[in-house]
Structure formats: C-alpha cells, structure tokens
Amino acid sequence: MSEHWKIPASRALRADGLRVADIDTSAKPGFHGRKKDGEQLLSERSKVLAALQEKLYANGRSGDNRSVLLVLQGMDTAGKGGIVRHVIGSVDPQGVDHAAFGIPTAKEKRHHFLWRIRKALPRGGQLGVFDRSHYEDVLVVRVHGLVPEAIWEQRYAEINDFEQELTESGTTLVKVAMFVSLDEQKKRLRERLERPDKYWKFSPGDIDERAYWPAYQQAYQDLLDRTSTGHAPWYVLPADAKWYSRLAVTELLIEALEKLDLNWPPANFDPAAELRRLDTA
Amino acid sequence: MSEHWKIPASRALRADGLRVADIDTSAKPGFHGRKKDGEQLLSERSKVLAALQEKLYANGRSGDNRSVLLVLQGMDTAGKGGIVRHVIGSVDPQGVDHAAFGIPTAKEKRHHFLWRIRKALPRGGQLGVFDRSHYEDVLVVRVHGLVPEAIWEQRYAEINDFEQELTESGTTLVKVAMFVSLDEQKKRLRERLERPDKYWKFSPGDIDERAYWPAYQQAYQDLLDRTSTGHAPWYVLPADAKWYSRLAVTELLIEALEKLDLNWPPANFDPAAELRRLDTA
C-alpha cells in the first residue's frame, strides 16, 4: 500500500461477477496517480517483492514446502512475457521455476492434459511462473474444437480439483488473466511487423486468432465463472498499459507472499559455538 | 571494452599455466579503476548482456540450437549465488536455464555422474547456468574419497569428451572457478553466523571444509591443468571483491555471446503482406 495504491490488489482485481465483454482494458484498478508515479512505485515495490521472495527461498532451503505459483493467461501480445521479464526478473533467478506451455508435443498429447503441468510445478520455496498453463485446455482447445465438448467440459471440474490439491499441499496460486483491447493488440502486432528485431515474436496465426475473439471472450467468461474458486481465485488485469500491469502483478505477488507470514528460518546449529569454532578454523 | 576494461576478459582470466597456490584473490585482472567505476561499468554492461541474451533467445525460438552455459565452481562463500542473482538476474528469466547441483540424491547416485548433468543442459537459445556442476565429481568427491581414485581419475577424460560433445553440438561453455582467500571466507562465514537473516546460508560443514583447503587446492590445480581445453577453457576469477567478480563474469558472457555473431532471426513470413492483412483483421 502507498499513497498511489490504497486497497489490496486482490480486491481491486477480483474477477467475481465480472463480464468479460465489459472489461475496460485501459482501466487501472487500485491505482491512483500518473504513469511516472506508477513507475516509481514499481521500482520500490520490486525491492519489497525481491526481499519477500528471498525469505520464501530461504524457508524452502530449510525444508518448508510452500511455494507461490503465478499463472499467466492472456491473448497474444497481452504482455505475459513482459511480466516474466520485468516482474519475475526483479527477483533472484535461483528462486524462480519458470515454465511456458505452447502447443503440446506429441508425447504430451499422449498424456492427460495435466501431466505436463504437474511436471512443471514449483518446488518448495520457489516462485513458480506459468506463461500459459492448463487453462489453454479450456481456451484454445475449446475455441478450435481440438477435443470434443464432452472432454473440455469436464476439465473445469478437473482443474478445480487439481488446484485444490495444490493449495492443500502448500502452493498459493495467483491466477492472472490479462486483457488488452483488440485495438491495442493491433498496435502491438503492427510493431512486431514493422521492427525486424521483433519479427521473431510474430506468427501469422496471431492475426487469424483475432477472428475468434468473440469465442475467446465466451471461453474466458466460463473460465472466470467456473474456475475462480475460494482457494484459487482469478484476477482480471486490464493490460493496455504495460507499466500498470507490471505494478499490479507485483502487488498481487507481494500480497500472496505476505500472507505466508514468513520469518527467517531459525538456526539448526548454535551460532555462538560455531563462531568460536570458526575463529580457530 | 571501455576505459576501465581494455583487454578481453577471456585473456585476463585465462587459467593456462596458473598455480592455484599463487592466486591473488584480491586482484582484479583486466580492470583498471576504482570500485565505483566498476559498479558503474557493471550497470552499463548488464544492459549489453541483456540485449545479447535476448538475441540468443530469439534465435532459439527460431530453431537455432546454440546455447551458452556458465559453469560456476568455487568454495563455500566464493559468491556463486551472487553471480546468479546479480549477473544472470540482469537478463530475461524466460531465457535462463538454471541448475544447482548439491549432494546427489539416492537416484542420482545410481546413475553415471554425468546423468544429472545431461538432464539439466540448456535448451537451444538459452543461457544456462550451473551452480556447481560435474566438477564436484573431481573436487569434493576426490577430497573426501567418496569414490576410489581409479574412478575419479578417469573422470577428467570423461569430462573432456563430454564437453567436446557439448561444444560440437552448439553449446559454448564458460567455465569460471572462483577463488576467495581463507581470510575472506572466514569473514563471510562470520557474517552468516552473526546475522539471523543469513543463518539459512550456513552449515556447520562449511567450517569443517576449511581444514581440507590444501587438498582442495590440489584438486583445483589438477582440474585446471587437465580440463582447461581449447574448446572449453577455464577462467580463474579472484573473488574477494564481489563487484569485480560480477563485472568479470558479465564481461566473459558478453564475449561468449558476441562470438556467436547473432543477428535477429529473419521473418519467415512477408511482413508487408501481414501488415495489410492485419489492417482488416
């Protein structure tokens, strides 16, 4: 909290009852101020995040199996990669378990959709980040009819069970759905086509997907309605302003870490005795 | 290169013919200037490193299988973790494949010593970092006689063959051995014992290991003499000054990346045609 951010991000961004069609992608829920205030605040809060993450890591090294897992979903260009680079990039890489989920490999397709997800879960003490996730299996898979409806339909319940199991075993889920407007997406895709140093981020399929936006909106609506649970709520992030989305995710992660109420792990040795031993070693 | 760093780090830190017993751990090979000049330079060069790493990543995403692997070795408190946090921490986490190698698990022990190493190799386009590595198998394992001499003795040749295979398949190895003086190590261990926020970094075994320093010196000497090869040379890093060691590793990585002579991947689509298509999408 600060003069520019006064209510918990988890409250400001809570998905409950929200209509996807009504999302103002240029809004900045929770934040009051100008862009430069936001950038200044982000720089300060990144240090708070890094300090909390170090404590989580320290506890992990001392046997605590708790972890935090940031799940990022969003259409192409929504800024998932920027969150990884600028938010997760502010903490110690040793403590980060990062996984990106693209089109499943042939091997992954032969397994249950959660198989590859389970293999990538953060270890105790780690800050995990999923760039896309098991939610692709009720988004792109549903929109393009890659499996029959009877299959994707049951996945909502499977996901809820899976996430409950995760939560019970010590993983705090921070699920963030990022939304940009179709106009903002067009602007960002145009940049990728105009700058040779951005070509690698572009795929012609990104344009094709724009035609499916209404179907994606419906899929996102069901996702929010059916998988935003008490143990693993969704947060809806208006993402037209990159600086705001980075700040908001930083706030969400800080909140999640503060809730763990972490202390530095106690010594499992006698510091005074070890200091005496060190003197003559 | 800059006014404070005039010769390639790979030349300044080259291990050839060096006697471990003669290493001046407070030296700053390659650097001319004061600490504040070094810190300023590190901040500038970190941006250069991040830009080169993004190009490596972009090429990896476009099918290039080349990668760079930083191998960090050093006694306790030498600063390996600080290199990960402050040097690797300056690049995009998406492009980092980090692995730390502690005491092998029961499962790992049932395999060849390179088994767990092979599983953790960086993917194409990634900047890999090993915090300790296969070299533990000719260091701690040798010093404490954890396997018979006949076994560790043959590992030098196995490691050279392994690294040649890696190099031929597109991985540039940057092997850095970090050395602090016994006095500096004592100072750093003392800090871990005096500050409750550092207890978790301390283990009583760290003090016990100090008695083995002559044996470790011999093991490091053989390591440098026998595994510093043309395709995968060792660099010897005096590490009493943390700011210097971070700057030196940054320079080594920049050099390794520059040698790859990376360009932005060309478009595998027609940008002008895609721009027209985007206009109406």
Side-chain angles (χ1 to χ4, degrees):
Chain A
M1 307 303 114
S2 80
E3 62 168 313
H4 298 294
W5 197 295
K6 290 179 179 151
I7 64 164
S10 64
R11 183 136 49 96
L13 300 171
R14 193 72 183 245
D16 296 1
L18 193 132
R19 307 310 305 161
V20 169
D22 297 339
I23 294 170
D24 174 2
T25 57
S26 67
K28 289 151 194 89
F31 180 77
H32 306 276
R34 298 172 182 191
K35 179 176 176 181
K36 72 168 171 43
D37 302 319
E39 288 172 338
Q40 172 64 28
L41 185 56
L42 176 57
S43 141
E44 291 163 21
R45 298 293 280 171
S46 293
K47 294 188 189 81
V48 174
L49 176 60
L52 284 163
Q53 176 274 327
E54 191 188 2
K55 235 178 220 182
L56 178 68
Y57 181 74
N59 279 278
R61 291 288 297 263
S62 307
D64 191 333
N65 76 337
R66 288 180 297 173
S67 61
V68 171
L69 174 57
L70 175 66
V71 174
L72 295 172
Q73 284 294 155
M75 303 292 288
D76 292 318
T77 78
K80 301 180 294 296
I83 296 292
V84 176
R85 181 165 189 162
H86 297 279
V87 179
I88 303 301
S90 68
V91 311
D92 189 340
Q94 293 171 87
V96 172
D97 282 344
H98 171 271
F101 296 96
I103 297 170
T105 62
K107 185 175 180 181
E108 286 169 350
K109 278 182 191 153
R110 287 195 298 272
H111 288 274
H112 186 270
F113 77 104
L114 292 174
W115 180 75
R116 63 175 182 164
I117 305 295
R118 287 183 187 277
K119 288 205 306 172
L121 290 170
R123 297 162 286 173
Q126 297 293 104
L127 174 55
V129 53
F130 283 179
D131 180 343
R132 305 186 188 270
S133 67
H134 42 298
Y135 285 101
E136 291 296 315
D137 292 285
V138 291
L139 290 168
V140 63
V141 165
R142 165 178 168 168
V143 166
H144 290 286
L146 303 182
V147 302
E149 177 166 352
I151 299 289
W152 59 253
E153 178 60 39
Q154 73 187 13
R155 287 183 176 168
Y156 297 98
E158 288 182 272
I159 286 172
N160 287 338
D161 289 347
F162 168 61
E163 292 185 351
Q164 175 141 23
E165 170 198 321
L166 280 187
T167 308
E168 284 168 1
S169 61
T171 299
T172 301
L173 284 148
V174 179
K175 305 192 294 189
V176 177
M178 303 176 72
F179 292 92
V180 286
S181 69
L182 273 173
D183 275 355
E184 178 65 23
Q185 190 191 52
K186 184 177 278 193
K187 211 181 93 191
R188 293 181 185 182
L189 287 174
R190 186 175 292 126
E191 188 182 52
R192 293 180 182 184
L193 287 165
E194 285 173 346
R195 287 178 48 177
D197 62 327
K198 303 262 190 190
Y199 285 166
W200 65 277
K201 295 187 177 186
F202 178 84
S203 149
D206 300 346
I207 295 180
D208 305 330
E209 287 297 275
R210 288 170 61 79
Y212 295 93
W213 182 222
Y216 274 108
Q217 278 197 311
Q218 188 55 56
Y220 269 103
Q221 187 67 59
D222 284 352
L223 175 152
L224 297 177
D225 291 344
R226 300 177 67 177
T227 64
S228 199
T229 55
H231 56 272
W234 271 104
Y235 301 108
V236 166
L237 182 62
D240 281 0
K242 290 179 182 177
W243 64 266
Y244 168 76
S245 63
R246 292 165 193 174
L247 175 59
V249 174
T250 300
E251 293 294 339
L252 285 170
L253 289 174
I254 287 174
E255 236 187 286
L257 283 159
E258 282 178 342
K259 269 199 198 121
L260 297 183
D261 200 17
L262 298 161
N263 293 303
W264 291 111
N268 56 3
F269 48 82
D270 176 350
E274 291 300 318
L275 274 168
R276 284 191 300 275
R277 211 158 67 85
L278 178 62
D279 269 340
T280 58
Chain B
M1 303 307 113
S2 82
E3 62 167 311
H4 297 296
W5 196 295
K6 291 178 178 152
I7 63 163
S10 64
R11 183 134 51 93
L13 300 172
R14 193 71 183 247
D16 296 0
L18 194 133
R19 307 309 305 160
V20 169
D22 297 340
I23 295 170
D24 173 3
T25 57
S26 67
K28 289 150 193 91
F31 180 78
H32 307 276
R34 297 172 184 191
K35 180 176 176 181
K36 75 168 169 43
D37 303 319
E39 288 171 339
Q40 172 64 27
L41 185 56
L42 177 58
S43 141
E44 292 163 22
R45 298 294 278 170
S46 293
K47 295 188 188 79
V48 174
L49 176 60
L52 284 163
Q53 177 275 328
E54 190 188 2
K55 238 179 217 182
L56 177 68
Y57 182 74
N59 279 276
R61 292 288 295 262
S62 306
D64 190 333
N65 75 339
R66 288 179 297 172
S67 61
V68 171
L69 173 57
L70 175 65
V71 174
L72 295 172
Q73 284 293 157
M75 303 292 287
D76 293 317
T77 78
K80 301 180 295 295
I83 296 292
V84 176
R85 179 164 192 165
H86 297 279
V87 178
I88 303 300
S90 68
V91 312
D92 189 342
Q94 293 172 86
V96 172
D97 283 344
H98 171 270
F101 297 96
I103 298 170
T105 62
K107 185 175 180 181
E108 286 169 349
K109 279 183 190 153
R110 287 195 297 272
H111 287 273
H112 186 268
F113 77 104
L114 292 174
W115 180 76
R116 64 175 182 163
I117 304 297
R118 286 184 188 276
K119 289 205 307 172
L121 290 170
R123 297 162 288 174
Q126 299 291 105
L127 174 55
V129 53
F130 283 179
D131 181 344
R132 304 187 187 269
S133 67
H134 41 299
Y135 285 101
E136 291 296 316
D137 292 286
V138 290
L139 289 169
V140 64
V141 167
R142 166 179 166 166
V143 167
H144 289 286
L146 303 181
V147 301
E149 177 167 353
I151 300 288
W152 59 253
E153 177 61 38
Q154 73 189 12
R155 287 183 176 168
Y156 296 98
E158 288 182 272
I159 287 172
N160 287 339
D161 288 349
F162 169 62
E163 292 185 352
Q164 176 140 20
E165 171 198 322
L166 281 187
T167 308
E168 284 167 1
S169 61
T171 299
T172 300
L173 285 149
V174 179
K175 305 191 294 190
V176 178
M178 303 176 72
F179 291 91
V180 285
S181 67
L182 274 173
D183 273 356
E184 179 65 23
Q185 190 191 53
K186 184 178 279 194
K187 210 180 95 192
R188 294 182 184 181
L189 288 174
R190 185 175 292 126
E191 188 182 51
R192 294 180 181 184
L193 286 167
E194 285 172 345
R195 288 178 48 177
D197 64 327
K198 302 263 189 190
Y199 285 167
W200 65 278
K201 296 188 178 188
F202 179 84
S203 148
D206 301 346
I207 295 180
D208 306 330
E209 287 296 276
R210 288 169 62 79
Y212 295 90
W213 182 223
Y216 274 109
Q217 278 197 311
Q218 187 55 54
Y220 268 104
Q221 187 68 57
D222 284 352
L223 174 153
L224 296 177
D225 291 344
R226 299 177 67 178
T227 65
S228 197
T229 56
H231 56 272
W234 271 105
Y235 301 109
V236 166
L237 182 61
D240 281 359
K242 290 179 183 176
W243 64 267
Y244 168 77
S245 63
R246 291 164 193 175
L247 176 59
V249 174
T250 300
E251 293 293 340
L252 285 170
L253 289 173
I254 287 174
E255 238 187 285
L257 283 159
E258 283 179 341
K259 271 200 196 121
L260 297 183
D261 200 18
L262 298 161
N263 294 303
W264 291 110
N268 55 4
F269 47 83
D270 176 351
E274 292 298 320
L275 274 169
R276 284 191 300 275
R277 212 158 67 85
L278 177 62
D279 269 340
T280 60

